[in-house]
Amino acid sequence: MQLTLDLQLACHFDQIPSEAQFQLWAEKALEQFRDDAELTIRIADEDESQSLNSQYRGKDKPTNVLSFPFDAPPGIELPLIGDLIICPQVVYSESVEQEKAFHDHFAHMVIHGCLHLLGFDHINEQDAVEMETLEKQILATLDIADPYRDEY
């Protein structure tokens, strides 16, 4: 798998994962679906996350990850799959609340977001089970525990 990653650090937050970690996590999420891909991951503060979440999802609060798939015009072949906007403040708060390691939860958000960019979703139960199963399998290859352990 050949991944071209554009990592944008648009805010400061302690203990942001390294570019190599983001690269690895995205590659793990995409490798069974794509031979090559281009992806932007933007690390955004709570204000930017809230603004985008409000504008695109109608939810006026910051969120952990937003996915913006790239839809190429007909006849145009590009490896670009889209953009992820991740808010480290929300990811950190969730990791504390859910008693998960910060970087493990960050890995989950990258993988979750990448799967959304590929067209996976969790709107209905059948799709949610499919997506969560993939997330668990991919995270297991990184020695990261099942992130849904408390939900069942």
Side-chain angles (χ1 to χ4, degrees), residues 63-64 89-102 104-106 108-109 135 139 144-151:
T63 189
N64 49 25
Q89 292 90 346
V90 174
V91 174
Y92 178 77
S93 295
E94 290 175 348
S95 70
V96 170
E97 178 184 305
Q98 298 169 18
E99 299 178 350
K100 297 175 182 173
F102 178 52
D104 288 358
H105 192 47
F106 229 114
H108 181 210
M109 294 303 95
E135 290 170 0
L139 288 164
I144 297 174
D146 176 359
Y148 298 104
R149 66 187 187 272
D150 297 329
E151 294 185 18

Side-chain angles (χ1 to χ4, degrees), residues 49-61 66:
S49 175
Q50 181 168 341
S51 175
L52 291 167
N53 200 25
S54 177
Q55 181 178 353
Y56 291 99
R57 297 180 64 229
K59 297 184 178 187
D60 193 25
K61 63 179 184 176
L66 292 165

Side-chain angles (χ1 to χ4, degrees), residues 69-85:
F70 174 71
D71 193 16
I76 305 291
E77 291 293 324
L78 292 173
L80 182 61
I81 61 169
D83 302 336
L84 298 180
I85 311 297

Side-chain angles (χ1 to χ4, degrees), residues 8-65:
Q8 300 176 356
L9 301 176
C11 74
H12 174 76
F13 193 84
D14 288 338
Q15 303 171 355
I16 291 287
S18 69
E19 186 166 355
Q21 287 173 294
F22 283 111
Q23 182 87 23
L24 173 65
W25 298 335
E27 285 174 357
K28 288 289 186 182
L30 300 170
E31 66 187 1
Q32 61 185 305
F33 303 103
R34 301 290 295 260
D35 292 328
D36 64 335
E38 292 179 22
L39 167 68
T40 297
I41 298 177
R42 182 174 175 85
I43 306 304
D45 65 18
E46 291 169 299
D47 289 341
E48 183 178 356
S49 175
Q50 181 168 341
S51 175
L52 291 167
N53 200 25
S54 177
Q55 181 178 353
Y56 291 99
R57 297 180 64 229
K59 297 184 178 187
D60 193 25
K61 63 179 184 176
T63 189
N64 49 25
V65 61

